[in-house]
Amino acid sequence: MRYAEAGYYLEVDLATGNIERVETDPKLLETHLGGLGTSVKLHWDRVPPETKPFDDGNLLVFSTGLLNGTPAFSCNRTVVTFISPQSELLAYPMMGGFWSAELKYAGYDKIILKNKSPQWVYLWVHNDKVEIRDASHLVGKGALETQDLIREELNEPNAQVAAIGIAGENKVFTASIEQSRSSASRLGGGAVMGDKKIKAVAVRGTKDVFLARGAEFMEHMKGITDYINFRNENPVKGVMTILSGIGSPQEFKHTDEKWHTENFMWGNARVRRRDFWSKEHEEEWVSTQLNAVKRFVSCYNCPQQCGALVSHKDVPRYMAKCFGKLTYSMGAQVDQLDFNFRILQRATEYGVDSFSTPQILAFAVELKEAGILTDKDFEGCPSDPEGRFSWLLDRVVRREGIGDVLADGTYWAAKKIGKGAEEFAHNTIKKHEQLPLKLSTLDPLYFLMYSTNEKISITQIEGNWPQAAFPTREQREAFVKDWPQLPDESWKQILLEWEPRGEKGIPYFPTPEMCSQIVDWMEMLHNIDDAIGLCAGMGSFCLKPPYHIHNYPKLISAATGMDLDEAGLKKIVNRSRNLHRALNNRLGMTRADEKPPEDHWKKRFPELEQKLLDTYYAYKGWNMNGIPTRARLEELDLKYVADELEQRGILKNG
């Protein structure tokens, strides 16, 4: 019997219609756990580096996590992996909701979609019954509308449906995969889905998931439950509101947006409005939000409520999450939150990433103001900021006119447009738009996190370590007093010494050696979450979470029967992390790509930045080009990876 995992992948050849239920090797659990870990292994083995994003051979893999479908709170993430049309590297956006548990209950750990369908289809998975069904009647439908139509067509109201909208059909590089209140948004999974002509994947499952030692598992969960209750009653003090609690940032519960509106940049990540949160704006934003949110919603088996059902004026109801609440108003430089709630519904129905897309639209506005784009490019466009943004969004998702160029994202669009447009595509790392943050002095921790993580998105690497030094020694002492999640008690001293400025402040402190340890630790936590399917808001992406390095092994052991300790778990996730790094190295990524935008910090320290990379690479066991060494790979039982990197000339002399 297989424990925690289903033990089967569902392989679907969209070109031939062939469907196979494939039993997996049990040893994969011991070497890569599940979720992202086993998906990276699958892409390494089966997708040659010559494969382009829109080639037949680019696999699109939907994966549950190891603990999805178990009683573990908040283990509900679906990891979607593919070669990204935007970054041309392996992407892995994730979505919450109920989809992954439904797939596990149907009896599968992954759905592997290969090749391309000759016509539009959707996949229906109901336990052992799997069908490729005609979707021609769904072409042109929105992502939310498609979900409803499929459930109605199947007469299955409890089916969970992941679907693309018009943006995915038109292979927009920022097209998302929408599902329930969540989405796999970043790096173009919707575009790959559209290229394969699969409109949706619907799942319903009623099978069991088994635990190796159920009573022991539930005893560990009791401790986690007690801590969740404690944290909900005792928020962390001295940090911004959304960091004080647990769960994915609960933007729809919180109404105080002073920090975000005054510290995130407006427009195309250009303008910082330090005095925005006036009494008038606060009243308007709070009133708009309270009237729009009808109820709060959770993902599968989660005690937190991080999303919301939104019903704003005459806009059709939709479920929303996180910072999509802010991004369109701030991108368009429209002071009213009302605009954001209206355009966000349209954008969700279209199926686009709500971080990248507003920046792309603002980028187009900047190019028009600079004379790089012309009146002809904007023919028929309204002159007011709201109308202009809505017009541009329509053009992008339909790839009409200038929208056809913008649909590839700011990096690729700037190259096509030329005439100096590259200077305006200023907020990308590895060709991907970042959060609209522009700060003053280089932060060494964030320099490493922005530069080196494989997600190419800061929210998937930062987390358990505070974002900035506490102003007073008293605050620091209070914070470290109760911090059981730390890997080592000695780390408390780093935080106690960390000052807001001076010799023990950024950029000089934490030191490169300390930064390497801290970043590696946070990165490891994210990789564990992404393997077991845990929402990062309950583990890697929050301060003092209920899940941490000291209880992960106990839960995994009780669920699977592996008898895993902390050292063993660290080796597994380091194996998967280094395999992921090697895979992207095989796709062409090197040290030259590991750099934040030039204007991310006003004060830069080039020599320190190079030392940070050198120190971090050495700490990771990588060479100075950011490639894992043979010694490191063999230590992690990845000799076959070292052999191939050497054969390809990527790794030289070990």
Side-chain angles (χ1 to χ4, degrees), residues 234-401:
N234 297 274
V236 175
K237 297 178 180 178
V239 297
M240 72 180 80
T241 306
I242 65 162
L243 294 181
S244 64
I246 53 177
S248 179
Q250 298 183 18
E251 278 293 300
F252 287 90
K253 282 193 171 181
H254 301 309
T255 57
D256 182 357
E257 291 298 348
K258 178 178 175 62
W259 192 90
H260 288 117
T261 56
E262 295 187 352
N263 288 280
F264 276 26
M265 308 296 279
W266 294 61
N268 181 26
R270 293 283 191 188
V271 181
R272 190 172 180 181
R273 301 175 68 180
R274 293 180 180 273
D275 58 350
F276 174 79
W277 199 246
S278 64
K279 181 179 179 181
E280 292 73 23
H281 284 137
E282 180 178 9
E283 289 177 352
E284 189 273 326
W285 281 49
V286 171
S287 173
T288 300
Q289 180 173 325
L290 293 179
N291 286 323
V293 174
K294 299 311 172 190
R295 64 179 172 87
F296 299 113
V297 295
S298 301
C299 294
Y300 174 82
N301 194 27
C302 183
Q304 306 304 97
Q305 296 175 313
C306 304
L309 175 64
V310 174
S311 180
H312 181 64
K313 298 181 178 178
D314 60 346
V315 175
R317 289 191 171 199
Y318 64 104
M319 286 191 281
K321 61 183 176 65
C322 204
F323 294 110
K325 182 184 89 175
L326 310 175
T327 53
Y328 284 93
S329 282
M330 293 181 69
Q333 300 197 51
V334 172
D335 288 3
Q336 291 74 41
L337 188 61
D338 167 82
F339 169 65
N340 206 94
F341 278 127
R342 285 187 282 111
I343 196 171
L344 181 60
Q345 189 279 334
R346 184 189 301 196
T348 305
E349 194 73 89
Y350 282 151
V352 286
D353 171 11
S354 60
F355 273 128
S356 287
T357 308
Q359 285 189 49
I360 293 167
L361 307 182
F363 162 77
V365 171
E366 279 193 352
L367 293 185
K368 175 65 166 59
E369 291 172 348
I372 295 173
L373 293 180
T374 66
D375 290 341
K376 184 177 180 182
D377 295 316
F378 278 69
E379 188 175 354
C381 178
S383 58
D384 65 291
E386 292 189 18
R388 184 171 55 195
F389 241 54
S390 297
W391 183 89
L392 282 166
L393 177 62
D394 292 346
R395 297 304 173 281
V396 167
V397 301
R398 292 184 167 86
R399 283 192 174 270
E400 294 176 353

Side-chain angles (χ1 to χ4, degrees), residues 40-229:
V40 169
K41 170 65 171 164
L42 190 147
H43 281 273
W44 174 273
D45 289 344
R46 295 179 52 178
V47 183
E50 298 78 21
T51 305
K52 301 302 180 187
F54 295 138
D55 285 352
D56 287 0
N58 188 13
L59 298 180
L60 181 64
V61 181
F62 289 76
S63 181
T64 68
L66 179 62
L67 297 185
N68 288 162
T70 74
F73 289 139
S74 310
C75 285
N76 50 46
R77 262 34 191 180
T78 304
V79 182
V80 186
T81 47
F82 52 91
I83 305 300
S84 165
Q86 192 175 42
S87 69
E88 300 179 314
L89 303 172
L90 184 69
Y92 62 105
M94 286 170 282
M95 55 189 180
F98 289 70
W99 197 95
S100 63
E102 207 69 46
L103 182 64
K104 185 76 75 73
Y105 293 146
Y108 308 101
D109 296 310
K110 299 185 194 296
I111 294 177
I112 303 169
L113 300 174
K114 54 189 179 183
N115 298 320
K116 303 180 185 182
S117 172
Q119 61 274 326
W120 281 100
V121 296
Y122 74 89
L123 185 69
W124 168 226
V125 179
H126 188 189
N127 295 331
D128 296 334
K129 179 183 177 182
V130 183
E131 298 178 89
I132 298 175
R133 298 173 65 108
D134 174 61
S136 58
H137 58 300
L138 299 173
V139 175
K141 304 293 185 185
L144 305 180
E145 182 183 10
T146 295
Q147 296 174 45
D148 290 337
L149 289 171
I150 287 177
R151 278 189 283 265
E152 182 179 342
E153 181 176 308
L154 296 171
N155 193 27
E156 190 60 72
N158 292 320
Q160 297 301 312
V161 185
I164 59 172
I166 298 173
E169 292 177 14
N170 292 322
K171 295 192 280 190
V172 174
F173 283 14
T174 60
S176 57
I177 302 169
E178 299 290 332
Q179 177 261 142
S180 184
R181 63 156 290 264
S182 194
S183 60
S185 296
R186 313 223 74 189
L187 291 163
V192 175
M193 201 163 161
D195 181 60
K196 293 183 178 299
K197 280 192 163 57
I198 181 160
K199 180 69 174 177
V201 181
V203 183
R204 180 75 176 113
T206 57
K207 297 182 180 182
D208 293 323
V209 174
F210 298 95
L211 300 176
R213 302 192 292 268
E216 178 186 327
F217 186 90
M218 295 309 295
E219 189 62 30
H220 292 313
M221 282 307 303
K222 183 180 182 301
I224 287 172
T225 303
D226 291 344
Y227 190 82
I228 289 171
N229 293 334

Side-chain angles (χ1 to χ4, degrees), residues 480-511:
V480 304
K481 187 176 181 180
D482 176 28
W483 203 0
Q485 295 84 354
L486 277 180
D488 189 299
E489 284 288 304
S490 65
W491 287 34
K492 291 181 179 179
Q493 192 61 34
I494 301 174
L495 192 80
L496 288 171
E497 293 182 28
W498 193 19
E499 300 276 358
R501 58 190 60 83
E503 292 182 0
K504 288 297 182 76
I506 63 170
Y508 311 108
F509 196 89
T511 66

Side-chain angles (χ1 to χ4, degrees), residues 591-605:
R591 181 182 182 129
D593 301 299
E594 309 257 63
K595 54 186 179 182
E598 290 295 327
D599 63 347
H600 191 84
W601 295 282
K602 288 183 180 179
K603 296 179 183 177
R604 298 290 292 263
F605 299 82

